[in-house]
Amino acid sequence: MPAVLGDSDRTSHTSYNRRQASAYASQFYASQGFFRGPVRDIATYAVGPGMMPQSQVEDESTALLYEDYFRFWGENYADLAGKHTFNELQFLASIAIDVAGDFGLHMYSPTARSIPQLQVVEGHRIAGDQEGWRDGVRLDRFGRRVAYRVSEAPLGEINGAGGSSRLQESFRSIDAGEFIFLHDPDRADPTRGISSMAHALAHSRDVVDTLLYTKIQVKMDSAIGVVIKTHDGTADPGTSFIENGFAAKDTGGLPFETWQAGMIPRLKVGEDLLAPTASRPSPAFMGFLQFLLRDIAVGLGLPFEFVWDPAGVKGAGNRFILRKAQRRFDQRQALLKSKFLTRVWRWVIAKGIERGELPPAPWWWLVEWQGPAEITVDLGREAQANRDDLKYGNRTLAEDAAERGKHWKDHVRSQKSVEAKDLLERALELVEFAKGREQVLSLREAMFLISQDGPNPPPPAEIVTEEPGEGEEKDKPSESEEIESAVNAYGVAVRAGVVTPTIEDENFFRQRMGLPAISADARKAWVQENNVRRPITLVQMGEKGTPGARPSEGEGEEE
């Protein structure tokens, strides 16, 4: 039996200071742009319009059916309250993790035939320190969460207009197996999540107060036009105005003077006419303000230059800042995928199969999630490097498509297949057109002409553009040229996903090229892969072992 250890969280964060931090963070998020901006940046670049599922079922038609089913569910049934789509819930969950500290979702499906739906439970609705509960969470003797104590309604609905009906608040217990609890932990023991902006609360208050006082000073400087300074100490007529209040009858002989262009003021002996000089905000104040904002951004895990002012960063420094920020976004994506998205996918697809709306298939629970495109400042140069890596096999289509926020099956391989088929069809039409004019044009030559980018490209030297004279024979490609043409066409078809390589193909090309028969080791490798091999450029990112192999049924399953 494992040892029963105490919870070190009892001596650090209490339920009271956690709630206080969450309340202050919510206020600053709602009212201050320097607080709101970084939080929304994380949600925008990590989630964007929503991470999309890509089923890993081998049968593509079934995988597409699963994805369409889940997408329809997410747009119409995901939120029990009917307020948000599933993609919007992802965005809101990311914000809540940073502001409130944690976020809950009740997986609601009362019967086996019910449509699965998610009930949003914001962090402040998980509460209670009664016997057996720790800040709204019940733990077993090993510290595992077994249940959550949730308020039946949001606090605003419970308190009422007068705010005096708090005693009517009721709670219910939700089993942990039916509850998704999201937070971004910094330690192993804490039961609840602390706002990611807790470190910034004091600084945020200082920034707000300092800016308020500075703006008051700026307004005062702007309100005073000029000052008449006396040197002999004689009281001016404004004394009664200052000492006796602001009533018109008490202002005595105080002159109210206005100024117009070209005026020549007449001063008394010993008087000076001074224009006040505005000294705030000073450069030192702006530096101090940047220090506070830098601490807020860095504590959230984002570079200050990314959040506030990237103007002073050039070249490699800019790329370093973006890569560091991207790491933060990748971390948030990993958290949402493992704790939230994959669990909901398995739940919804399982319910669809149980309800008879989806066909069962091997590996139905396997899924990958496609997030938004990564940020970059060197799009042209990086695109060229990516094309070179893809060309020489140092990069897969899955890796390339993922960085652009697309999935390699739906947006790359399928499109390449469509384009290859279109190219082949148009090339065949061109060959038939040439035959009708009694000209010789091979399929390879036709594909070469059609695939050129510029208008009227020069034809290759081997293309025959004129009919041979009487008694002359038409030039025919040599056997080696025919083999080369067949191999090139075969390679194009394989990379486009139109043809799947088999051991029979290899035997055929070996025989045509006069190569020795396949070796015993190579034949054994073919047998291990069921005599079918996928090209390296079509292997999905993250697959391990032999191309096309699937993990065991237990892999990826949650306990």
Side-chain angles (χ1 to χ4, degrees), residues 42-48 50-51 90 94 97 326-342 369-374 402 405:
I42 293 178
T44 297
Y45 289 104
V47 176
M51 286 186 279
Q90 299 177 41
S94 179
I97 289 172
Q326 186 62 50
R327 292 289 180 89
R328 186 71 180 94
F329 307 145
D330 292 343
Q331 290 176 346
R332 179 54 53 84
Q333 286 183 354
L335 172 66
L336 294 177
K337 290 175 184 178
S338 62
K339 300 295 184 181
F340 177 23
L341 304 182
T342 299
W369 295 90
Q370 186 59 61
E374 294 186 359

PDB file of all heavy atoms in Angstrom, residues 42-48 50-51 90 94 97 326-342 369-374 402 405:
ATOM      1  N   ILE A  42      -2.746  34.899 -24.584  1.00  0.00           N
ATOM      2  CA  ILE A  42      -2.535  33.462 -24.391  1.00  0.00           C
ATOM      3  C   ILE A  42      -3.698  32.671 -24.979  1.00  0.00           C
ATOM      4  O   ILE A  42      -3.507  31.670 -25.683  1.00  0.00           O
ATOM      5  CB  ILE A  42      -2.342  33.143 -22.901  1.00  0.00           C
ATOM      6  CG1 ILE A  42      -1.035  33.755 -22.390  1.00  0.00           C
ATOM      7  CG2 ILE A  42      -2.352  31.633 -22.663  1.00  0.00           C
ATOM      8  CD1 ILE A  42      -0.782  33.520 -20.914  1.00  0.00           C
ATOM      9  N   ALA A  43      -4.915  33.121 -24.706  1.00  0.00           N
ATOM     10  CA  ALA A  43      -6.080  32.409 -25.240  1.00  0.00           C
ATOM     11  C   ALA A  43      -6.140  32.515 -26.766  1.00  0.00           C
ATOM     12  O   ALA A  43      -6.494  31.549 -27.453  1.00  0.00           O
ATOM     13  CB  ALA A  43      -7.359  32.974 -24.618  1.00  0.00           C
ATOM     14  N   THR A  44      -5.771  33.675 -27.305  1.00  0.00           N
ATOM     15  CA  THR A  44      -5.859  33.888 -28.751  1.00  0.00           C
ATOM     16  C   THR A  44      -4.865  33.019 -29.509  1.00  0.00           C
ATOM     17  O   THR A  44      -5.216  32.366 -30.503  1.00  0.00           O
ATOM     18  CB  THR A  44      -5.609  35.368 -29.083  1.00  0.00           C
ATOM     19  OG1 THR A  44      -6.632  36.166 -28.473  1.00  0.00           O
ATOM     20  CG2 THR A  44      -5.628  35.591 -30.593  1.00  0.00           C
ATOM     21  N   TYR A  45      -3.610  32.992 -29.041  1.00  0.00           N
ATOM     22  CA  TYR A  45      -2.581  32.263 -29.779  1.00  0.00           C
ATOM     23  C   TYR A  45      -2.547  30.772 -29.424  1.00  0.00           C
ATOM     24  O   TYR A  45      -1.995  29.979 -30.192  1.00  0.00           O
ATOM     25  CB  TYR A  45      -1.216  32.890 -29.509  1.00  0.00           C
ATOM     26  CG  TYR A  45      -1.050  34.237 -30.159  1.00  0.00           C
ATOM     27  CD1 TYR A  45      -1.135  35.407 -29.418  1.00  0.00           C
ATOM     28  CD2 TYR A  45      -0.832  34.356 -31.525  1.00  0.00           C
ATOM     29  CE1 TYR A  45      -0.989  36.649 -30.003  1.00  0.00           C
ATOM     30  CE2 TYR A  45      -0.693  35.593 -32.125  1.00  0.00           C
ATOM     31  CZ  TYR A  45      -0.775  36.739 -31.360  1.00  0.00           C
ATOM     32  OH  TYR A  45      -0.645  37.970 -31.951  1.00  0.00           O
ATOM     33  N   ALA A  46      -3.104  30.381 -28.294  1.00  0.00           N
ATOM     34  CA  ALA A  46      -3.137  28.962 -27.933  1.00  0.00           C
ATOM     35  C   ALA A  46      -4.400  28.278 -28.463  1.00  0.00           C
ATOM     36  O   ALA A  46      -4.350  27.130 -28.908  1.00  0.00           O
ATOM     37  CB  ALA A  46      -3.061  28.792 -26.417  1.00  0.00           C
ATOM     38  N   VAL A  47      -5.522  28.984 -28.423  1.00  0.00           N
ATOM     39  CA  VAL A  47      -6.803  28.403 -28.831  1.00  0.00           C
ATOM     40  C   VAL A  47      -7.295  28.998 -30.146  1.00  0.00           C
ATOM     41  O   VAL A  47      -7.737  28.277 -31.038  1.00  0.00           O
ATOM     42  CB  VAL A  47      -7.860  28.602 -27.720  1.00  0.00           C
ATOM     43  CG1 VAL A  47      -9.216  28.077 -28.174  1.00  0.00           C
ATOM     44  CG2 VAL A  47      -7.424  27.918 -26.436  1.00  0.00           C
ATOM     45  N   GLY A  48      -7.217  30.323 -30.259  1.00  0.00           N
ATOM     46  CA  GLY A  48      -7.699  30.986 -31.466  1.00  0.00           C
ATOM     47  C   GLY A  48      -9.184  30.760 -31.671  1.00  0.00           C
ATOM     48  O   GLY A  48      -9.981  30.827 -30.728  1.00  0.00           O
ATOM     49  N   GLY A  50     -10.550  28.052 -31.991  1.00  0.00           N
ATOM     50  CA  GLY A  50     -10.882  26.740 -31.452  1.00  0.00           C
ATOM     51  C   GLY A  50     -10.003  25.658 -32.042  1.00  0.00           C
ATOM     52  O   GLY A  50      -9.773  25.634 -33.255  1.00  0.00           O
ATOM     53  N   MET A  51      -9.477  24.771 -31.191  1.00  0.00           N
ATOM     54  CA  MET A  51      -8.690  23.642 -31.685  1.00  0.00           C
ATOM     55  C   MET A  51      -9.629  22.580 -32.259  1.00  0.00           C
ATOM     56  O   MET A  51     -10.638  22.238 -31.636  1.00  0.00           O
ATOM     57  CB  MET A  51      -7.827  23.080 -30.554  1.00  0.00           C
ATOM     58  CG  MET A  51      -6.642  23.963 -30.223  1.00  0.00           C
ATOM     59  SD  MET A  51      -5.525  23.243 -29.004  1.00  0.00           S
ATOM     60  CE  MET A  51      -6.407  23.627 -27.502  1.00  0.00           C
ATOM     61  N   GLN A  90     -13.554  26.568 -25.125  1.00  0.00           N
ATOM     62  CA  GLN A  90     -12.093  26.443 -25.041  1.00  0.00           C
ATOM     63  C   GLN A  90     -11.452  27.783 -24.727  1.00  0.00           C
ATOM     64  O   GLN A  90     -10.556  27.884 -23.875  1.00  0.00           O
ATOM     65  CB  GLN A  90     -11.544  25.908 -26.372  1.00  0.00           C
ATOM     66  CG  GLN A  90     -12.039  24.533 -26.772  1.00  0.00           C
ATOM     67  CD  GLN A  90     -11.495  24.132 -28.136  1.00  0.00           C
ATOM     68  OE1 GLN A  90     -10.325  24.360 -28.458  1.00  0.00           O
ATOM     69  NE2 GLN A  90     -12.337  23.529 -28.960  1.00  0.00           N
ATOM     70  N   SER A  94      -9.426  28.936 -21.119  1.00  0.00           N
ATOM     71  CA  SER A  94      -8.063  29.467 -21.034  1.00  0.00           C
ATOM     72  C   SER A  94      -8.037  30.767 -20.245  1.00  0.00           C
ATOM     73  O   SER A  94      -7.147  30.987 -19.409  1.00  0.00           O
ATOM     74  CB  SER A  94      -7.508  29.686 -22.445  1.00  0.00           C
ATOM     75  OG  SER A  94      -6.199  30.211 -22.397  1.00  0.00           O
ATOM     76  N   ILE A  97      -8.561  30.077 -16.422  1.00  0.00           N
ATOM     77  CA  ILE A  97      -7.396  29.500 -15.764  1.00  0.00           C
ATOM     78  C   ILE A  97      -6.454  30.595 -15.292  1.00  0.00           C
ATOM     79  O   ILE A  97      -5.887  30.524 -14.182  1.00  0.00           O
ATOM     80  CB  ILE A  97      -6.673  28.528 -16.721  1.00  0.00           C
ATOM     81  CG1 ILE A  97      -7.518  27.268 -16.927  1.00  0.00           C
ATOM     82  CG2 ILE A  97      -5.300  28.151 -16.180  1.00  0.00           C
ATOM     83  CD1 ILE A  97      -6.975  26.345 -18.001  1.00  0.00           C
ATOM     84  N   GLN A 326       5.770  31.407 -27.999  1.00  0.00           N
ATOM     85  CA  GLN A 326       5.141  30.225 -28.578  1.00  0.00           C
ATOM     86  C   GLN A 326       5.235  29.037 -27.633  1.00  0.00           C
ATOM     87  O   GLN A 326       4.309  28.221 -27.565  1.00  0.00           O
ATOM     88  CB  GLN A 326       5.792  29.887 -29.917  1.00  0.00           C
ATOM     89  CG  GLN A 326       5.116  28.757 -30.675  1.00  0.00           C
ATOM     90  CD  GLN A 326       3.690  29.077 -31.037  1.00  0.00           C
ATOM     91  OE1 GLN A 326       3.405  30.134 -31.596  1.00  0.00           O
ATOM     92  NE2 GLN A 326       2.778  28.156 -30.746  1.00  0.00           N
ATOM     93  N   ARG A 327       6.332  28.930 -26.892  1.00  0.00           N
ATOM     94  CA  ARG A 327       6.443  27.849 -25.904  1.00  0.00           C
ATOM     95  C   ARG A 327       5.333  27.955 -24.862  1.00  0.00           C
ATOM     96  O   ARG A 327       4.776  26.945 -24.425  1.00  0.00           O
ATOM     97  CB  ARG A 327       7.805  27.914 -25.217  1.00  0.00           C
ATOM     98  CG  ARG A 327       8.991  27.592 -26.129  1.00  0.00           C
ATOM     99  CD  ARG A 327       9.043  26.127 -26.490  1.00  0.00           C
ATOM    100  NE  ARG A 327      10.168  25.821 -27.342  1.00  0.00           N
ATOM    101  CZ  ARG A 327      11.370  25.476 -26.904  1.00  0.00           C
ATOM    102  NH1 ARG A 327      11.598  25.401 -25.605  1.00  0.00           N
ATOM    103  NH2 ARG A 327      12.348  25.207 -27.742  1.00  0.00           N
ATOM    104  N   ARG A 328       5.026  29.183 -24.451  1.00  0.00           N
ATOM    105  CA  ARG A 328       3.946  29.379 -23.474  1.00  0.00           C
ATOM    106  C   ARG A 328       2.611  28.954 -24.072  1.00  0.00           C
ATOM    107  O   ARG A 328       1.790  28.322 -23.397  1.00  0.00           O
ATOM    108  CB  ARG A 328       3.887  30.847 -23.056  1.00  0.00           C
ATOM    109  CG  ARG A 328       2.879  31.121 -21.938  1.00  0.00           C
ATOM    110  CD  ARG A 328       3.366  30.538 -20.633  1.00  0.00           C
ATOM    111  NE  ARG A 328       2.432  30.771 -19.548  1.00  0.00           N
ATOM    112  CZ  ARG A 328       1.485  29.902 -19.172  1.00  0.00           C
ATOM    113  NH1 ARG A 328       1.361  28.751 -19.824  1.00  0.00           N
ATOM    114  NH2 ARG A 328       0.685  30.178 -18.183  1.00  0.00           N
ATOM    115  N   PHE A 329       2.385  29.293 -25.324  1.00  0.00           N
ATOM    116  CA  PHE A 329       1.126  28.902 -25.964  1.00  0.00           C
ATOM    117  C   PHE A 329       1.051  27.384 -26.127  1.00  0.00           C
ATOM    118  O   PHE A 329      -0.024  26.791 -25.965  1.00  0.00           O
ATOM    119  CB  PHE A 329       1.008  29.585 -27.327  1.00  0.00           C
ATOM    120  CG  PHE A 329       1.177  31.080 -27.273  1.00  0.00           C
ATOM    121  CD1 PHE A 329       1.806  31.763 -28.306  1.00  0.00           C
ATOM    122  CD2 PHE A 329       0.727  31.803 -26.181  1.00  0.00           C
ATOM    123  CE1 PHE A 329       1.964  33.128 -28.256  1.00  0.00           C
ATOM    124  CE2 PHE A 329       0.893  33.182 -26.115  1.00  0.00           C
ATOM    125  CZ  PHE A 329       1.519  33.841 -27.157  1.00  0.00           C
ATOM    126  N   ASP A 330       2.177  26.747 -26.440  1.00  0.00           N
ATOM    127  CA  ASP A 330       2.203  25.286 -26.567  1.00  0.00           C
ATOM    128  C   ASP A 330       1.872  24.615 -25.235  1.00  0.00           C
ATOM    129  O   ASP A 330       1.185  23.583 -25.201  1.00  0.00           O
ATOM    130  CB  ASP A 330       3.569  24.824 -27.056  1.00  0.00           C
ATOM    131  CG  ASP A 330       3.858  25.249 -28.497  1.00  0.00           C
ATOM    132  OD1 ASP A 330       2.895  25.596 -29.197  1.00  0.00           O
ATOM    133  OD2 ASP A 330       5.029  25.239 -28.899  1.00  0.00           O
ATOM    134  N   GLN A 331       2.368  25.186 -24.139  1.00  0.00           N
ATOM    135  CA  GLN A 331       2.054  24.632 -22.822  1.00  0.00           C
ATOM    136  C   GLN A 331       0.559  24.701 -22.537  1.00  0.00           C
ATOM    137  O   GLN A 331      -0.022  23.751 -22.007  1.00  0.00           O
ATOM    138  CB  GLN A 331       2.837  25.385 -21.746  1.00  0.00           C
ATOM    139  CG  GLN A 331       4.330  25.125 -21.746  1.00  0.00           C
ATOM    140  CD  GLN A 331       5.060  25.980 -20.731  1.00  0.00           C
ATOM    141  OE1 GLN A 331       4.518  26.945 -20.188  1.00  0.00           O
ATOM    142  NE2 GLN A 331       6.313  25.646 -20.472  1.00  0.00           N
ATOM    143  N   ARG A 332      -0.064  25.820 -22.866  1.00  0.00           N
ATOM    144  CA  ARG A 332      -1.505  25.941 -22.637  1.00  0.00           C
ATOM    145  C   ARG A 332      -2.272  24.961 -23.521  1.00  0.00           C
ATOM    146  O   ARG A 332      -3.260  24.344 -23.075  1.00  0.00           O
ATOM    147  CB  ARG A 332      -1.939  27.381 -22.890  1.00  0.00           C
ATOM    148  CG  ARG A 332      -3.442  27.647 -22.709  1.00  0.00           C
ATOM    149  CD  ARG A 332      -3.966  27.196 -21.342  1.00  0.00           C
ATOM    150  NE  ARG A 332      -3.199  27.733 -20.256  1.00  0.00           N
ATOM    151  CZ  ARG A 332      -3.382  28.936 -19.722  1.00  0.00           C
ATOM    152  NH1 ARG A 332      -4.318  29.739 -20.202  1.00  0.00           N
ATOM    153  NH2 ARG A 332      -2.666  29.319 -18.698  1.00  0.00           N
ATOM    154  N   GLN A 333      -1.850  24.787 -24.762  1.00  0.00           N
ATOM    155  CA  GLN A 333      -2.502  23.816 -25.630  1.00  0.00           C
ATOM    156  C   GLN A 333      -2.403  22.408 -25.053  1.00  0.00           C
ATOM    157  O   GLN A 333      -3.390  21.656 -25.058  1.00  0.00           O
ATOM    158  CB  GLN A 333      -1.872  23.849 -27.022  1.00  0.00           C
ATOM    159  CG  GLN A 333      -2.235  25.052 -27.852  1.00  0.00           C
ATOM    160  CD  GLN A 333      -1.636  24.987 -29.247  1.00  0.00           C
ATOM    161  OE1 GLN A 333      -0.849  24.092 -29.559  1.00  0.00           O
ATOM    162  NE2 GLN A 333      -1.993  25.935 -30.102  1.00  0.00           N
ATOM    163  N   ALA A 334      -1.221  22.039 -24.568  1.00  0.00           N
ATOM    164  CA  ALA A 334      -1.033  20.697 -24.010  1.00  0.00           C
ATOM    165  C   ALA A 334      -1.939  20.476 -22.802  1.00  0.00           C
ATOM    166  O   ALA A 334      -2.508  19.392 -22.622  1.00  0.00           O
ATOM    167  CB  ALA A 334       0.437  20.498 -23.621  1.00  0.00           C
ATOM    168  N   LEU A 335      -2.095  21.499 -21.963  1.00  0.00           N
ATOM    169  CA  LEU A 335      -2.967  21.389 -20.802  1.00  0.00           C
ATOM    170  C   LEU A 335      -4.416  21.155 -21.224  1.00  0.00           C
ATOM    171  O   LEU A 335      -5.098  20.261 -20.706  1.00  0.00           O
ATOM    172  CB  LEU A 335      -2.854  22.664 -19.953  1.00  0.00           C
ATOM    173  CG  LEU A 335      -3.842  22.793 -18.788  1.00  0.00           C
ATOM    174  CD1 LEU A 335      -3.575  21.725 -17.739  1.00  0.00           C
ATOM    175  CD2 LEU A 335      -3.760  24.184 -18.168  1.00  0.00           C
ATOM    176  N   LEU A 336      -4.897  21.952 -22.180  1.00  0.00           N
ATOM    177  CA  LEU A 336      -6.281  21.818 -22.622  1.00  0.00           C
ATOM    178  C   LEU A 336      -6.517  20.491 -23.335  1.00  0.00           C
ATOM    179  O   LEU A 336      -7.571  19.871 -23.175  1.00  0.00           O
ATOM    180  CB  LEU A 336      -6.644  22.987 -23.533  1.00  0.00           C
ATOM    181  CG  LEU A 336      -6.665  24.377 -22.889  1.00  0.00           C
ATOM    182  CD1 LEU A 336      -6.963  25.445 -23.932  1.00  0.00           C
ATOM    183  CD2 LEU A 336      -7.695  24.437 -21.767  1.00  0.00           C
ATOM    184  N   LYS A 337      -5.561  20.043 -24.126  1.00  0.00           N
ATOM    185  CA  LYS A 337      -5.732  18.784 -24.850  1.00  0.00           C
ATOM    186  C   LYS A 337      -5.837  17.603 -23.898  1.00  0.00           C
ATOM    187  O   LYS A 337      -6.722  16.750 -24.040  1.00  0.00           O
ATOM    188  CB  LYS A 337      -4.559  18.566 -25.804  1.00  0.00           C
ATOM    189  CG  LYS A 337      -4.517  19.506 -26.995  1.00  0.00           C
ATOM    190  CD  LYS A 337      -3.249  19.274 -27.819  1.00  0.00           C
ATOM    191  CE  LYS A 337      -3.131  20.274 -28.950  1.00  0.00           C
ATOM    192  NZ  LYS A 337      -1.884  20.086 -29.731  1.00  0.00           N
ATOM    193  N   SER A 338      -4.927  17.531 -22.924  1.00  0.00           N
ATOM    194  CA  SER A 338      -4.871  16.354 -22.052  1.00  0.00           C
ATOM    195  C   SER A 338      -5.991  16.330 -21.029  1.00  0.00           C
ATOM    196  O   SER A 338      -6.530  15.259 -20.732  1.00  0.00           O
ATOM    197  CB  SER A 338      -3.509  16.296 -21.352  1.00  0.00           C
ATOM    198  OG  SER A 338      -3.322  17.435 -20.529  1.00  0.00           O
ATOM    199  N   LYS A 339      -6.362  17.472 -20.479  1.00  0.00           N
ATOM    200  CA  LYS A 339      -7.345  17.507 -19.392  1.00  0.00           C
ATOM    201  C   LYS A 339      -8.775  17.779 -19.850  1.00  0.00           C
ATOM    202  O   LYS A 339      -9.720  17.476 -19.127  1.00  0.00           O
ATOM    203  CB  LYS A 339      -6.950  18.595 -18.380  1.00  0.00           C
ATOM    204  CG  LYS A 339      -5.589  18.400 -17.737  1.00  0.00           C
ATOM    205  CD  LYS A 339      -5.555  17.141 -16.881  1.00  0.00           C
ATOM    206  CE  LYS A 339      -4.209  17.021 -16.156  1.00  0.00           C
ATOM    207  NZ  LYS A 339      -4.137  15.788 -15.338  1.00  0.00           N
ATOM    208  N   PHE A 340      -8.927  18.327 -21.038  1.00  0.00           N
ATOM    209  CA  PHE A 340     -10.239  18.813 -21.449  1.00  0.00           C
ATOM    210  C   PHE A 340     -10.683  18.214 -22.786  1.00  0.00           C
ATOM    211  O   PHE A 340     -11.645  17.437 -22.858  1.00  0.00           O
ATOM    212  CB  PHE A 340     -10.187  20.341 -21.503  1.00  0.00           C
ATOM    213  CG  PHE A 340     -11.448  21.013 -21.982  1.00  0.00           C
ATOM    214  CD1 PHE A 340     -12.689  20.390 -21.901  1.00  0.00           C
ATOM    215  CD2 PHE A 340     -11.402  22.290 -22.520  1.00  0.00           C
ATOM    216  CE1 PHE A 340     -13.842  21.013 -22.338  1.00  0.00           C
ATOM    217  CE2 PHE A 340     -12.547  22.925 -22.970  1.00  0.00           C
ATOM    218  CZ  PHE A 340     -13.755  22.285 -22.877  1.00  0.00           C
ATOM    219  N   LEU A 341      -9.955  18.519 -23.844  1.00  0.00           N
ATOM    220  CA  LEU A 341     -10.449  18.232 -25.184  1.00  0.00           C
ATOM    221  C   LEU A 341     -10.536  16.747 -25.489  1.00  0.00           C
ATOM    222  O   LEU A 341     -11.570  16.260 -25.988  1.00  0.00           O
ATOM    223  CB  LEU A 341      -9.550  18.924 -26.219  1.00  0.00           C
ATOM    224  CG  LEU A 341      -9.376  20.437 -26.059  1.00  0.00           C
ATOM    225  CD1 LEU A 341      -8.509  20.991 -27.164  1.00  0.00           C
ATOM    226  CD2 LEU A 341     -10.728  21.130 -26.043  1.00  0.00           C
ATOM    227  N   THR A 342      -9.468  15.999 -25.202  1.00  0.00           N
ATOM    228  CA  THR A 342      -9.472  14.568 -25.513  1.00  0.00           C
ATOM    229  C   THR A 342     -10.522  13.834 -24.692  1.00  0.00           C
ATOM    230  O   THR A 342     -11.190  12.913 -25.184  1.00  0.00           O
ATOM    231  CB  THR A 342      -8.081  13.973 -25.258  1.00  0.00           C
ATOM    232  OG1 THR A 342      -7.127  14.627 -26.106  1.00  0.00           O
ATOM    233  CG2 THR A 342      -8.063  12.483 -25.558  1.00  0.00           C
ATOM    234  N   TRP A 369      -5.342  17.031 -31.977  1.00  0.00           N
ATOM    235  CA  TRP A 369      -5.992  18.342 -32.011  1.00  0.00           C
ATOM    236  C   TRP A 369      -5.122  19.330 -32.769  1.00  0.00           C
ATOM    237  O   TRP A 369      -3.925  19.422 -32.520  1.00  0.00           O
ATOM    238  CB  TRP A 369      -6.255  18.836 -30.593  1.00  0.00           C
ATOM    239  CG  TRP A 369      -7.236  17.972 -29.877  1.00  0.00           C
ATOM    240  CD1 TRP A 369      -6.978  16.880 -29.109  1.00  0.00           C
ATOM    241  CD2 TRP A 369      -8.656  18.103 -29.905  1.00  0.00           C
ATOM    242  NE1 TRP A 369      -8.139  16.324 -28.648  1.00  0.00           N
ATOM    243  CE2 TRP A 369      -9.198  17.058 -29.119  1.00  0.00           C
ATOM    244  CE3 TRP A 369      -9.525  19.008 -30.508  1.00  0.00           C
ATOM    245  CZ2 TRP A 369     -10.552  16.901 -28.928  1.00  0.00           C
ATOM    246  CZ3 TRP A 369     -10.889  18.845 -30.317  1.00  0.00           C
ATOM    247  CH2 TRP A 369     -11.388  17.799 -29.540  1.00  0.00           C
ATOM    248  N   GLN A 370      -5.742  20.032 -33.683  1.00  0.00           N
ATOM    249  CA  GLN A 370      -5.031  21.004 -34.508  1.00  0.00           C
ATOM    250  C   GLN A 370      -5.310  22.409 -34.012  1.00  0.00           C
ATOM    251  O   GLN A 370      -6.455  22.866 -34.014  1.00  0.00           O
ATOM    252  CB  GLN A 370      -5.470  20.877 -35.968  1.00  0.00           C
ATOM    253  CG  GLN A 370      -4.687  21.749 -36.913  1.00  0.00           C
ATOM    254  CD  GLN A 370      -3.211  21.417 -36.844  1.00  0.00           C
ATOM    255  OE1 GLN A 370      -2.811  20.299 -37.123  1.00  0.00           O
ATOM    256  NE2 GLN A 370      -2.402  22.382 -36.455  1.00  0.00           N
ATOM    257  N   GLY A 371      -4.254  23.096 -33.554  1.00  0.00           N
ATOM    258  CA  GLY A 371      -4.401  24.448 -33.051  1.00  0.00           C
ATOM    259  C   GLY A 371      -4.175  25.485 -34.125  1.00  0.00           C
ATOM    260  O   GLY A 371      -3.990  25.174 -35.299  1.00  0.00           O
ATOM    261  N   PRO A 372      -4.185  26.770 -33.744  1.00  0.00           N
ATOM    262  CA  PRO A 372      -3.953  27.843 -34.722  1.00  0.00           C
ATOM    263  C   PRO A 372      -2.511  27.858 -35.205  1.00  0.00           C
ATOM    264  O   PRO A 372      -1.631  27.215 -34.611  1.00  0.00           O
ATOM    265  CB  PRO A 372      -4.296  29.116 -33.934  1.00  0.00           C
ATOM    266  CG  PRO A 372      -4.079  28.733 -32.497  1.00  0.00           C
ATOM    267  CD  PRO A 372      -4.450  27.290 -32.390  1.00  0.00           C
ATOM    268  N   ALA A 373      -2.258  28.596 -36.258  1.00  0.00           N
ATOM    269  CA  ALA A 373      -0.913  28.678 -36.830  1.00  0.00           C
ATOM    270  C   ALA A 373       0.043  29.349 -35.851  1.00  0.00           C
ATOM    271  O   ALA A 373      -0.338  30.224 -35.070  1.00  0.00           O
ATOM    272  CB  ALA A 373      -0.947  29.454 -38.146  1.00  0.00           C
ATOM    273  N   GLU A 374       1.310  28.931 -35.886  1.00  0.00           N
ATOM    274  CA  GLU A 374       2.324  29.546 -35.041  1.00  0.00           C
ATOM    275  C   GLU A 374       2.657  30.943 -35.564  1.00  0.00           C
ATOM    276  O   GLU A 374       2.569  31.217 -36.762  1.00  0.00           O
ATOM    277  CB  GLU A 374       3.588  28.688 -35.015  1.00  0.00           C
ATOM    278  CG  GLU A 374       3.396  27.337 -34.354  1.00  0.00           C
ATOM    279  CD  GLU A 374       4.694  26.567 -34.222  1.00  0.00           C
ATOM    280  OE1 GLU A 374       5.734  27.082 -34.670  1.00  0.00           O
ATOM    281  OE2 GLU A 374       4.665  25.457 -33.662  1.00  0.00           O
ATOM    282  N   ALA A 402       0.967  21.376 -39.510  1.00  0.00           N
ATOM    283  CA  ALA A 402       0.627  21.758 -38.142  1.00  0.00           C
ATOM    284  C   ALA A 402       1.095  23.171 -37.822  1.00  0.00           C
ATOM    285  O   ALA A 402       0.400  23.928 -37.154  1.00  0.00           O
ATOM    286  CB  ALA A 402       1.243  20.763 -37.161  1.00  0.00           C
ATOM    287  N   GLY A 405      -1.335  25.720 -38.932  1.00  0.00           N
ATOM    288  CA  GLY A 405      -2.681  25.616 -38.407  1.00  0.00           C
ATOM    289  C   GLY A 405      -3.607  24.765 -39.243  1.00  0.00           C
ATOM    290  O   GLY A 405      -4.825  24.927 -39.189  1.00  0.00           O
TER     291      GLY A 405
END
